[in-house]
Amino acid sequence: DAGVTQSPTHLIKTRGQHVTLRCSPISGHKSVSWYQQVLGQGPQFIFQYYEKEERGRGNFPDRFSARQFPNYSSELNVNALLLGDSALYLCASRSGGYMNTEAFFGQGTRLTVV
Amino acid sequence: TQLLEQSPQFLSIQEGENLTVYCNSSSVFSSLQWYRQEPGEGPVLLVTVVTGGEVKKLKRLTFQFGDARKDSSLHITAAQPGDTGIYLCAGVSGNDMRFGAGTRLTVKP
């Protein structure tokens, strides 16, 4: 069985540009969460989607948005990129909609903003 | 800012030594999870503790949840080079999950 897949694995963007990151959850999982992990820190919660609806949102500016598709895959969009957006972006898949449910993480997308 | 404080931040030990990693908070959590992350990879769940005072063992790893459900510890017995990695704790409260900054463990052969 395929685990959580994220694409692309690495990305370099220029300040001010827009980026779209993609995540496919484990088959049968209906919840996707997005996290930002800056070098040397733990992951910071950005969004959770369950059954195509937003379930939770972390303390991130409106430049960050996300959506979940009917097949439960998800996209994270970041507009007007800043140097500080450089980080590893992780997607986590859960079978249920609650954070207590075990989270399975993808390998992440390493975003570098120059 | 991290809601959960992990200590130590860095730990370098010899194979065979024991170690304890701490995860502390002023907040009460409904559950606490421990993850292990290798460089360039996503975190992998090791254990979830739910009940105050709960102790769980996973081979050489022992996890404890504080009585007040605000803190937790991870003890590794006879560490091996394969234990090298970043150990993250994550507290769950409602539908919010917050991670600590992690403990970076290096076990030298």
Side-chain angles (χ1 to χ4, degrees):
Chain A
D1 281 342
V4 180
T5 57
Q6 291 188 243
S7 63
T9 54
H10 295 81
L11 200 53
I12 300 175
K13 289 285 191 177
T14 305
R15 276 180 299 175
Q17 284 189 315
H18 161 270
V19 69
T20 297
L21 310 181
R22 296 177 175 84
C23 172
S24 292
I26 291 171
S27 178
H29 284 194
K30 299 179 179 180
S31 170
V32 169
S33 299
W34 287 96
Y35 296 83
Q36 180 195 66
Q37 187 175 23
V38 174
L39 195 63
Q41 295 294 317
Q44 298 287 321
F45 172 65
I46 309 175
F47 288 109
Q48 186 202 11
Y49 278 78
Y50 177 68
E51 288 279 21
K52 293 158 282 182
E53 291 190 359
E54 183 181 302
R55 265 286 185 100
R57 173 186 288 250
N59 189 24
F60 279 80
D62 291 343
R63 298 185 296 107
F64 289 77
S65 63
R67 55 180 176 168
Q68 187 176 34
F69 298 99
N71 66 354
Y72 302 111
S73 67
S74 178
E75 283 183 354
L76 174 70
N77 295 283
V78 186
N79 292 324
L81 285 166
L82 304 174
L83 295 179
D85 294 332
S86 296
L88 180 68
Y89 288 84
L90 294 162
C91 171
S93 163
R94 291 179 172 87
S95 58
Y98 296 100
M99 290 296 193
N100 277 321
T101 313
E102 180 176 0
F104 296 85
F105 284 85
Q107 288 191 315
T109 294
R110 172 71 63 187
L111 172 64
T112 302
V113 182
V114 297
Chain B
T1 57
Q2 302 284 161
L3 189 63
L4 287 153
E5 297 293 331
Q6 286 192 242
S7 61
Q9 188 177 358
F10 297 94
L11 190 55
S12 180
I13 60 172
Q14 292 294 135
E15 182 176 2
E17 293 184 3
N18 301 333
L19 67 116
T20 302
V21 174
Y22 299 94
C23 176
N24 296 301
S25 176
S26 57
S27 300
V28 176
F29 297 107
S30 58
S31 67
L32 195 137
Q33 300 174 351
W34 283 93
Y35 291 82
R36 179 169 169 268
Q37 183 177 25
E38 297 195 33
E41 303 283 328
V44 176
L45 181 68
L46 296 173
V47 78
T48 300
V49 285
V50 178
T51 307
E54 182 177 3
V55 176
K56 280 192 174 179
K57 292 192 175 184
L58 186 67
K59 296 183 181 177
R60 294 177 293 100
L61 277 61
T62 302
F63 304 86
Q64 185 164 8
F65 202 11
D67 291 341
R69 304 207 318 275
K70 293 181 179 181
D71 52 80
S72 182
S73 64
L74 158 60
H75 183 79
I76 301 179
T77 303
Q80 299 176 0
D83 295 327
T84 294
I86 301 168
Y87 290 83
L88 295 158
C89 65
V92 178
S93 179
N95 212 36
D96 187 20
M97 187 163 98
R98 304 289 182 98
F99 281 85
T103 291
R104 284 141 187 83
L105 171 66
T106 302
V107 182
K108 300 174 185 176

